[in-house]
Amino acid sequence: MKIVYQGGEAEIVEKKSRFIATVRPVKSEEEALDFIAATKKKYWDARHNCFAYVVGERQELQRCSDDGEPQGTAGRPMLEVLLGADVYNVVVVVTRYFGGVLLGTGGLVRAYSRSVQEGLKSSAVIERQEGVRLAIKTDYTGIGKIQYLLGQRGLPILDSEYTDTVLIRTVVPKEQAEALRDDVTEATAGKAQFPEEEAVSYAMMEGEVILF
């Protein structure tokens, strides 16, 4: 499942109406409600401040509001975009400045949906996964083989310690951990050891590891 690591903002114009989507990560419903209140205060002169949020690692808490738009034309379409993007712990407010031209129910649904899509595009969305942070201890003859195996699998090196031996830390998807240990053991003729192993949640962003 995905989370919004950094929020974003996007604006579209539809028949002279401005739609401003503001996306933020949240950890609780209280945070979501506080953000909605702050956004309504910021855009106090707007016709509508519609919102949707999804909280919980299983998306168990879902709320939305049309804020005066015809029922089902704003909040629900916004929520459907969040669910379709498979994100959680996120809130979005779409602020509408009415341009004087009625959009109709279909036009409103499309405008609010597209606003959220653009808001998500402007945000940093990362995929969180379960993994294992693994330390591999080896002598100097095994370094190259281990680096090759990690590179072959696209696994990052978190850090390295060079003393009389070498300690390399990496993070590996949970389902690949056992196979990696087997490959490293075989490549080093059983000389490598695994002194540290910890279950973690992590994500990759622009080649960098983010641990949760």
Side-chain angles (χ1 to χ4, degrees):
M1 198 168 289
K2 301 171 185 175
I3 60 171
V4 174
Y5 185 64
Q6 294 174 339
E9 185 175 302
E11 180 177 334
I12 68 169
V13 177
E14 190 68 34
K15 294 183 178 178
K16 299 182 180 180
S17 280
R18 293 172 59 209
F19 294 84
I20 305 167
T22 312
V23 180
R24 289 292 182 274
V26 292
K27 294 180 180 179
S28 66
E29 184 174 28
E30 183 180 9
E31 278 190 29
L33 294 175
D34 286 347
F35 173 72
I36 292 165
T39 306
K40 286 185 174 183
K41 185 175 181 180
K42 177 181 178 181
Y43 296 112
W44 60 271
D45 58 339
R47 177 73 68 91
H48 306 282
N49 282 288
C50 306
F51 68 79
Y53 58 86
V54 180
V55 177
E57 295 193 4
R58 290 177 293 279
Q59 299 176 313
E60 54 265 34
L61 184 60
Q62 304 172 12
R63 298 286 187 273
C64 61
S65 169
D66 296 312
D67 193 36
E69 293 282 29
Q71 185 175 0
T73 61
R76 188 68 204 180
M78 292 166 59
L79 182 60
E80 292 295 339
V81 172
L82 296 181
L83 296 175
D86 201 25
V87 292
Y88 70 101
N89 285 358
V90 61
V91 59
V92 58
V93 178
V94 175
T95 302
R96 182 190 183 190
Y97 284 93
F98 183 56
V101 180
L102 296 175
L103 300 182
T105 56
L108 287 171
V109 169
R110 287 189 294 273
Y112 279 102
S113 297
R114 187 158 71 90
S115 296
V116 177
Q117 290 167 352
E118 294 301 318
L120 288 175
K121 286 180 184 177
S122 72
S123 306
V125 180
I126 57 178
E127 188 162 3
R128 181 173 174 170
Q129 58 182 319
E130 298 305 309
V132 175
R133 181 164 54 183
L134 191 66
I136 307 171
K137 186 176 182 180
T138 182
D139 58 25
Y140 279 79
T141 62
I143 299 173
K145 297 171 185 176
I146 293 170
Q147 289 175 332
Y148 173 78
L149 286 173
L150 296 180
Q152 197 176 43
R153 292 170 177 265
L155 300 176
I157 294 177
L158 301 178
D159 61 71
S160 304
E161 295 178 13
Y162 293 86
T163 55
D164 55 329
T165 59
V166 182
L167 190 69
I168 297 174
R169 292 184 179 88
T170 186
V171 63
V172 57
K174 184 178 179 180
E175 64 276 9
Q176 296 181 27
E178 185 176 353
L180 176 64
R181 285 192 297 267
D182 290 345
D183 287 349
V184 169
T185 299
E186 182 179 349
T188 60
K191 293 181 180 179
Q193 299 175 336
F194 308 95
E196 301 171 18
E197 186 171 328
E198 179 187 5
V200 295
S201 293
Y202 76 101
M204 300 293 297
M205 181 178 176
E206 297 179 353
E208 297 295 322
V209 179
I210 300 168
L211 296 171
F212 298 95

